[in-house]
Amino acid sequence: MRTQVGIVGAGPAGLVLSHLLHREGIDSVVLEAHTREYVQERVRAGVLEQNTVDLLSQTGVGARMQHEGLVHHGIELRFQGRGHRIDFRELTGKAITIYAQGEVVKDLIDARLAAGGTLLFEAPVVSLHDFENSSANKSSIRFRKDGSSVELGCDFIAGCDGFHGISRTSIPAGALTEYERTYPFAWLGILAEAPPASEELVYCYHDRGFALLSMRSPKRSRLYLQCHPEELIENWPDERIWQELHTRLARRGWSLTEGPVIQKGITGMRSFVVEPLQYGRLFLAGDAAHIVPPTGAKGLNLAVADVWVLARAIAEFYRSGDRSLLDRYSETCLRRVWKVQRFSWWMTSMLHRFDSDNPFDCRRQLGELDYVTSSRAASQSLAENYVGLPMD
Ligand code: APR
Ligand code: PHB
């Protein structure tokens, strides 16, 4: 088996990359450890930046998103029982779209298969070979399929296999530097058959911890609560979750809509970056290269920004033999990555309660929220980051 670009992982990064390469006339094979159903049904984030929406629309995979996605022109920051709107349209002229990651993944898989693309599911990659030298052109990927071991020869390998994938760890120790911060809390998230009680997302700071009201459709709410990182979901029957959400999200004249809980889980929070994003002919993209805490809703959008840069660089190489964009891949992506890391860390730090905080820290957080919601310059800074910084 042979292709031009071997892609490990069929998450948003791997699928968007394969789609963009196809549009440039470049052949790729996507290898995914799990089933198609698994990658489509995984409950993940659901906020698309304007950049992501534009890219999907302009490359022909945006039709269902445009029809079913919910376009939001702002968010609410809620603290001390009062709501403050950040108006994206007025501050940036841009918007965000609520459309679940699973739906983006479904649309991309449909488009790749309709175009005759090769996506292999239940095909876990076990090892990567001969990618160390950036001038040789016979790298290979070994994976398992239906009980046998198969080898895929390729010019380039794209490691789009998430934080726990094999690509990053295949690079020799010492070649990469890791930057990391973990947070002393996690998010307990539920998906509920309940019409969202607010038209826009509500990010809420409360003495008892952060809460977030989000949604998936006019009938489905997605809600989160800050909790202890070692918290067990068994300790949180639905009634306790609703009670805590009511308490934290309370606002005069407003109430939360309840409904049957159809999914619940706890997700840890971390900030992580590896540098560089390239080793020889292996390029890391998306969660394989960096993780952001979910507070700014940036994970998927950052993965899309990476592969947009990578697809352009690979296309330029095949078109003209010029590798300068490939050589700059890591540097180009890292500039955006660090700005997005800063924003996600800042939103997280402003909105969560830290065990180590003293009353001074809590007052400082309230001072910051007051500033962000009352200064046009500060609101605009939040807004321009939230809707997405311009693509390079
Ligand atoms: N072989 C093949 N596939 C693998 C392997 C392997 N050895 N290891 C991991 N994978 C697959 C996973 O099963 C997963 O489907 O790689 C895929 C990686 O997808 P994501 O984790 O979704 O990562 P990414 O595409 O970078 O998307 C980043 O999606 O996961 C969210 O929070 C994340 O929103 C962010 C965005
Ligand atoms: C979500 O809808 O899942 C969501 C929304 C906003 C965030 C994180 C997650 O910041």
Side-chain angles (χ1 to χ4, degrees):
M1 234 183 141
R2 201 184 147 79
T3 188
Q4 290 175 288
V5 184
I7 301 177
V8 190
L15 291 167
V16 172
L17 178 63
S18 176
H19 172 66
L20 295 178
L21 291 174
H22 169 69
R23 287 175 51 85
E24 298 283 351
I26 298 162
D27 188 55
S28 67
V29 168
V30 181
L31 302 168
E32 166 57 50
H34 288 99
T35 62
R36 178 175 178 178
E37 293 67 37
Y38 175 89
V39 295
Q40 293 183 167
E41 303 309 327
R42 253 184 312 200
V43 179
R44 290 278 178 86
V47 177
L48 307 184
E49 288 180 354
Q50 182 87 55
N51 295 315
T52 304
V53 168
D54 292 347
L55 181 137
L56 296 175
S57 302
Q58 286 160 13
T59 62
V61 282
R64 204 162 64 90
M65 169 191 70
Q66 273 156 6
H67 190 243
E68 295 175 19
L70 309 172
V71 178
H72 287 190
H73 296 282
I75 54 166
E76 180 183 322
L77 293 184
R78 192 174 288 189
F79 54 98
Q80 296 184 304
R82 279 199 287 274
H84 307 260
R85 183 161 188 265
I86 306 287
D87 186 333
F88 295 158
R89 183 165 25 201
E90 198 250 326
L91 293 162
T92 68
K94 294 182 183 169
I96 53 160
T97 297
I98 308 300
Y99 189 61
Q101 179 171 315
E103 304 306 315
V104 176
V105 163
K106 262 183 221 162
D107 296 344
L108 288 160
I109 291 176
D110 287 347
R112 288 307 297 122
L113 294 177
T118 310
L119 309 182
L120 300 181
F121 293 96
E122 297 179 88
V125 169
V126 286
S127 53
L128 309 181
H129 303 272
D130 303 322
F131 57 84
E132 295 81 0
N133 184 342
S134 58
S135 55
N137 65 347
K138 47 175 181 43
S139 302
S140 65
I141 302 179
R142 213 160 289 161
F143 64 98
R144 294 200 65 77
K145 187 68 192 157
D146 302 326
S148 341
S149 174
V150 188
E151 192 165 311
L152 170 69
C154 52
D155 300 337
F156 298 105
I157 301 175
C160 301
D161 46 355
F163 184 68
H164 300 287
I166 193 175
S167 301
R168 191 180 64 251
T169 50
S170 302
I171 297 173
L176 298 180
T177 308
E178 297 185 350
Y179 300 88
E180 183 163 24
R181 171 180 284 249
T182 52
Y183 297 88
F185 40 75
W187 279 13
L188 189 162
I190 61 167
L191 194 59
E193 291 291 357
S198 160
E199 276 184 23
E200 295 179 337
L201 269 61
V202 180
Y203 285 83
C204 179
Y205 174 89
H206 191 274
D207 287 347
R208 296 173 64 86
F210 171 75
L212 170 62
L213 184 160
S214 178
M215 67 250 354
R216 288 291 175 271
S217 73
K219 292 191 184 143
R220 254 185 205 181
S221 300
R222 177 89 172 127
L223 296 138
Y224 297 95
L225 286 169
Q226 174 185 349
C227 66
H228 192 271
E230 260 94 61
E231 191 64 74
L232 298 174
I233 196 73
E234 298 77 67
N235 295 338
W236 286 83
D238 297 354
E239 311 75 68
R240 182 175 172 206
I241 296 175
W242 286 115
Q243 193 183 19
E244 194 62 33
L245 285 165
H246 280 292
T247 306
R248 295 192 196 178
L249 287 164
R251 193 186 122 175
R252 197 175 309 187
W254 182 91
S255 66
L256 185 62
T257 337
E258 289 191 25
V261 174
I262 49 180
Q263 189 268 350
K264 60 179 165 180
I266 293 178
T267 323
M269 315 260 281
R270 76 166 84 222
S271 299
F272 173 86
V273 182
V274 75
E275 292 191 9
L277 272 50
Q278 173 197 6
Y279 187 80
R281 301 191 146 247
L282 169 60
F283 294 83
L284 303 175
D287 278 15
H290 40 67
I291 296 283
V292 286
T295 326
K298 290 293 172 207
L300 184 157
N301 296 292
L302 202 50
V304 171
D306 285 350
V307 296
W308 184 75
V309 175
L310 184 55
R312 206 175 41 164
I314 293 175
E316 185 56 40
F317 171 76
Y318 281 118
R319 203 165 20 237
S320 66
D322 181 356
R323 19 173 97 245
S324 57
L325 290 183
L326 275 175
D327 292 342
R328 285 208 304 275
Y329 168 71
S330 186
E331 185 193 328
T332 306
C333 288
L334 284 168
R335 284 191 65 200
R336 182 183 193 83
V337 166
W338 279 111
K339 282 180 276 196
V340 172
Q341 286 288 354
R342 181 209 70 84
F343 175 67
S344 304
W345 161 85
W346 173 73
M347 286 281 281
T348 304
S349 307
M350 175 170 70
L351 288 161
H352 289 75
R353 290 299 303 266
F354 289 71
D355 286 345
S356 55
D357 279 357
N358 65 22
F360 173 89
D361 296 305
C362 301
R363 295 280 178 191
R364 175 183 50 74
Q365 281 176 311
L366 287 169
E368 179 146 28
L369 284 161
D370 188 5
Y371 173 58
V372 166
T373 51
S374 60
S375 149
R376 184 181 167 86
S379 310
Q380 196 168 30
S381 169
L382 189 160
E384 75 167 347
N385 280 279
Y386 201 100
V387 300
L389 296 171
M391 298 279 236
D392 281 330

